[in-house]
Amino acid sequence: MKIFLLTQFFLSLMVFAHAQPLGPAYVVYFTDKDNSPYSINDPSAFLTQAAIERRAMQGIPIQMDDIPVNANYLQAISDAGVQVAAVSRWFNMAGVWILNENIIPQIEALPFVLSVEPMGDGSKQKKHKPIENKFSPDCGNHDFIYNSVPGKRTLNNYFDYGLGLHQIQMINGVSLHNQGYRGQGMVIAVLDAGFRNVDNNPAFDSLRAHNRILGTRDFVQPGNNVYKPTAHTHGANVLSIMAANLPGQMIGTAPEASYWLLRTEDHDPPASPEYLMEEYFWISGAEFADSVGARVINSSLGYTEFDDPSQNHTYEDMNGDITPITRAANRAASKGMLVVNSAGNDGSSDWYYIIAPADGFDVLAVGAVTADSTYVPWSSKGPSYDGRVKPDVAAQGASTRLVNSVGNVVTGSGTSYSSPVIAGMAACLWQSRLDQSNGMVYQAIINSASQFLNPDFFTGYGIPDFEQAFTILGSASAITSKKALIRVYPNPVTSLMKIETLKGGDSIKHLTLHDMTGRELLRRNYSLNYQTSI
C-alpha cells in the first residue's frame, strides 16, 4: 500500500509536464513546506522502505528537503497559467513554461512563492581554460553502433560471457561474479532516453522472468510508453551493458540486479531538442530513484549547450556545484546513492571538457578507453574548472559490446557505454559490502585504479580493478565496523585534507599521519570530536 501511495503521489506531481517547450522556461522557488500532509517523523509516506533502510545503514537522516513540494502550491501556480514541467523536493521548486510572461508578477505575488527566475543567462559566453591536447581527432563526439559476431566461451567462469567478456575482464570484474556478487538485491536506476523494446528483447528475458524490472517512469511525457517501437534506443543499449543475460553471446556487468528505467532525456526520434529543462527532468528522476531505494544511478547523459544559447553552460560552470543537474547529482550522493555518469564525448570538439553533471564533487565520472586500454581522443577531458581530477576513472567505451533493440550483440562507442560498464560492476562491489557507504564504494573504486598514484586529465585515476576494490572495501569494512571513528578525504591528497568523526558519540584522541613510505608527517592529540583541515 505504501508503494502504491508513493507511485500515486509522483504521478500527481508530474501530470502537467510536456515534451516540447511551451514557452519561455522559468524556475519557481517556494518559500516553505508549510501545511504539508507529510512529516519527517513518518517517512514511509513518501519514501519506500528500501529508501529508508539505505539511509539508515549509512547514518543519513530524513530532512526537510525530503518532504515533497506542497501540492497546493503547484496547483495554485498551474491555475494561474503556468505549465509545470518538473518538480524538485530537494530544492523546493518547479521548472515551468510560462507562455504569457505578463503573469509573472501575479505568480511572484503569491505568498508562498520565493522567486521566479528565468532558466538560463544570456550574458554567458563560452570560455576555455588552455590544456595540452596531445591527441588528434578520432571518431567524433557521438555514440556509434557497429555489428558484431559471436565470440568464444571462456572456461571456469560462472557465466559464459560471450562477447561481453573483454570489457569486464579489463576492470577485473569476473572474480566478483564468480564469488556470487552479480547484483542480487541491488537496485540500479537508469536515467536515460527511451528504452525501445526492452519489454520483449530476449537479452532481458531473465529480468522480466524474475520481476527485476521494478518499473518505468517518463518524466518528459508522463504516462508515455518508454518501450514503444518509436522510442529512442539509447537507454536500452545502456541497460544491456549492465543487465544483458544471453549466455554465450553477451553477459552484462550486473545481470542479476533490479532496475528502474527512467526517461529524463527528450530525444525520441525524429525530434532531438536540447533545452535546459531536461536537467530538471533529470532532477525529478534522481529524486524518484532516491525515493524507491535505488543504490546506484547510471546516467549516460550530460549537458553543455542548448538550442537556446542563453541557457548554455560555460567551462567556468564545471566547478562541481553550479549547474542544476550537478547540484542535484551531489544531493543524490548525499542521500546515499552512488551516481555514475558519462564524462562526455567532446574530447575532439571545441568544447573538449567534461560535461555536467560529471563535474560533480560526488559523481563518479567515467571516461573511455579502447579495447587495449588506451585513451580515446573523443572522450571528454578534465580537469574540472576548479582543478579537480576528472574524469574519475575509465572503462571500455570504444567498441563496447551491447545488445541492440532487436536482440543482436553489436558494438557501440561513447562514454555513454563506458559508464554502465562501471555502474553495473559498482553495484556488485557494493553488494559484497552492504555495510559500507556510497562514499566508501566510490573511494575503493578510485583507489583500485591503474593510475591512482599518478592521475591525469584524460582517464583520471585510470581503469579500476574490481577484485582489488573488493579487497580495499573489505579492509575498510574491517576497520569501520569496530568503531566507525573517522572519515578522511580526499584520498589522495595534495594540500587540503579533511578529517571528521563518522559517529556523533565517538571522538578522536590521538592522530598520527604517515605518507606512503611510512614517514610520519603529523602527530596531534585532541580532547573533543574534531574536524580539521591540514
Side-chain angles (χ1 to χ4, degrees):
M1 181 60 70
K2 291 176 182 175
I3 294 177
F4 170 77
L5 290 175
L6 182 74
T7 302
Q8 187 178 57
F9 166 74
F10 272 92
L11 288 176
S12 69
L13 281 188
M14 300 303 296
V15 293
F16 306 108
H18 293 265
Q20 298 293 330
L22 298 180
Y26 286 82
V27 184
V28 179
Y29 290 94
F30 302 108
T31 57
D32 56 64
K33 294 183 177 179
D34 294 347
N35 303 312
S36 173
Y38 304 102
S39 166
I40 61 175
N41 297 320
D42 183 19
S44 62
F46 50 89
L47 297 174
T48 62
Q49 189 60 35
I52 295 169
E53 290 175 355
R54 186 197 67 229
R55 292 168 183 238
M57 290 179 70
Q58 300 179 69
I60 299 171
I62 308 297
Q63 299 176 316
M64 281 303 297
D65 66 351
D66 296 310
I67 298 290
V69 175
N70 192 313
N72 292 328
Y73 295 174
L74 296 173
Q75 190 62 55
I77 64 173
S78 179
D79 291 343
V82 165
Q83 295 288 339
V84 177
V87 177
S88 170
R89 54 188 168 92
W90 290 344
F91 302 106
N92 201 22
M93 58 82 172
V96 303
W97 310 117
I98 300 181
L99 184 60
N100 178 7
E101 293 178 288
N102 292 328
I103 70 171
I104 292 177
Q106 176 186 346
I107 303 300
E108 291 175 322
L110 293 171
F112 49 80
V113 171
L114 179 65
S115 64
V116 180
E117 300 178 9
M119 203 177 278
D121 181 355
S123 67
K124 289 182 178 180
Q125 298 295 323
K126 196 168 298 301
K127 299 178 183 178
H128 295 296
K129 182 177 180 180
I131 185 171
E132 182 181 2
N133 186 350
K134 302 179 182 178
F135 303 94
S136 59
D138 188 65
C139 54
N141 62 344
H142 302 286
D143 298 325
F144 299 91
I145 304 294
Y146 306 95
N147 288 321
S148 301
V149 294
K152 296 180 180 179
R153 175 172 181 155
T154 300
L155 301 177
N156 302 321
N157 290 329
Y158 179 84
F159 288 117
D160 182 0
Y161 290 92
L163 290 166
L165 177 63
H166 183 75
Q167 60 209 41
I168 298 178
Q169 280 186 324
M170 181 185 293
I171 59 174
N172 207 4
V174 172
S175 66
L176 283 184
H177 288 173
N178 289 344
Q179 292 179 72
Y181 305 116
R182 304 162 196 133
Q184 305 95 311
M186 300 298 291
V187 177
I188 302 174
V190 186
L191 275 60
D192 217 292
F195 298 88
R196 185 189 299 181
N197 294 343
V198 167
D199 57 338
N200 55 48
N201 191 322
F204 309 116
D205 281 351
S206 65
L207 289 187
R208 295 190 299 270
H210 296 94
N211 298 314
R212 291 201 295 265
I213 297 178
L214 302 179
T216 69
R217 290 291 184 279
D218 190 327
F219 292 91
V220 182
Q221 293 177 290
N224 179 50
N225 177 10
V226 302
Y227 300 140
K228 63 186 179 182
T230 57
H232 205 283
T233 61
H234 191 267
N237 294 342
V238 166
L239 177 65
S240 74
I241 294 168
M242 297 181 283
N245 193 348
L246 292 172
Q249 299 180 63
M250 169 78 185
I251 300 292
T253 50
E256 297 183 16
S258 298
Y259 294 87
W260 277 95
L261 310 183
L262 309 178
R263 180 181 177 233
T264 64
E265 164 71 13
D266 187 7
H267 207 74
D268 278 1
S272 57
E274 200 75 277
Y275 48 99
L276 188 56
M277 187 68 79
E278 290 173 293
E279 294 194 22
Y280 291 83
F281 295 149
W282 193 99
I283 295 171
S284 295
E287 292 183 4
F288 181 84
D290 167 38
S291 73
V292 295
R295 281 185 173 261
V296 176
I297 287 176
N298 183 81
S299 169
S300 291
L301 301 170
Y303 301 92
T304 56
E305 297 179 314
F306 302 93
D307 294 347
D308 177 358
S310 72
Q311 299 180 349
N312 285 353
H313 298 319
T314 66
Y315 177 49
E316 286 90 334
D317 293 336
M318 301 297 114
N319 75 347
D321 196 34
I322 287 289
T323 69
I325 193 171
T326 299
R327 293 177 62 220
N330 289 336
R331 188 69 63 91
S334 77
K335 302 300 181 182
M337 293 182 288
L338 179 65
V339 182
V340 184
N341 207 96
S342 300
N345 302 334
D346 293 310
S348 298
S349 70
D350 290 340
W351 174 292
Y352 43 80
Y353 292 106
I354 53 170
I355 55 180
D359 64 307
F361 295 118
D362 303 309
V363 174
L364 188 66
V366 184
V369 294
T370 65
D372 63 0
S373 303
T374 59
Y375 168 73
V376 183
W378 45 255
S379 181
S380 289
K381 306 172 180 67
S384 62
Y385 184 70
D386 55 323
R388 287 172 291 117
V389 173
K390 287 288 178 177
D392 295 281
V393 294
Q396 185 170 345
S399 298
T400 309
R401 305 293 180 173
L402 57 91
V403 181
N404 67 13
S405 61
V406 295
N408 297 326
V409 179
V410 299
T411 62
S413 294
T415 58
S416 285
Y417 300 142
S418 57
S419 180
V421 171
I422 296 296
M425 195 54 65
C428 298
L429 174 65
W430 201 352
Q431 178 196 357
S432 75
R433 295 288 188 268
L434 285 174
D435 58 316
Q436 291 302 314
S437 69
N438 59 340
M440 292 290 193
V441 175
Y442 174 100
Q443 197 62 55
I445 293 170
I446 288 177
N447 285 28
S448 77
S450 58
Q451 300 177 170
F452 173 61
L453 296 179
N454 189 30
D456 60 33
F457 296 136
F458 303 102
T459 59
Y461 294 100
I463 300 170
D465 180 325
F466 275 86
E467 185 172 9
Q468 184 176 346
F470 173 78
T471 300
I472 293 169
L473 199 60
S475 299
S477 179
I479 294 170
T480 60
S481 63
K482 295 178 181 178
K483 199 62 175 162
L485 270 177
I486 62 172
R487 177 188 179 209
V488 181
Y489 62 97
N491 186 5
V493 63
T494 55
S495 59
L496 180 67
M497 175 185 288
K498 292 186 177 181
I499 303 173
E500 63 182 358
T501 59
L502 293 180
K503 293 177 67 176
D506 293 330
S507 61
I508 301 173
K509 300 296 185 184
H510 308 285
L511 174 66
T512 305
L513 182 66
H514 298 264
D515 67 12
M516 293 289 291
T517 67
R519 180 170 58 97
E520 184 175 310
L521 301 177
L522 176 140
R523 181 187 294 268
R524 289 181 183 174
N525 297 317
Y526 304 109
S527 59
L528 299 173
N529 288 357
Y530 197 74
Q531 176 172 326
T532 186
S533 296
I534 298 173

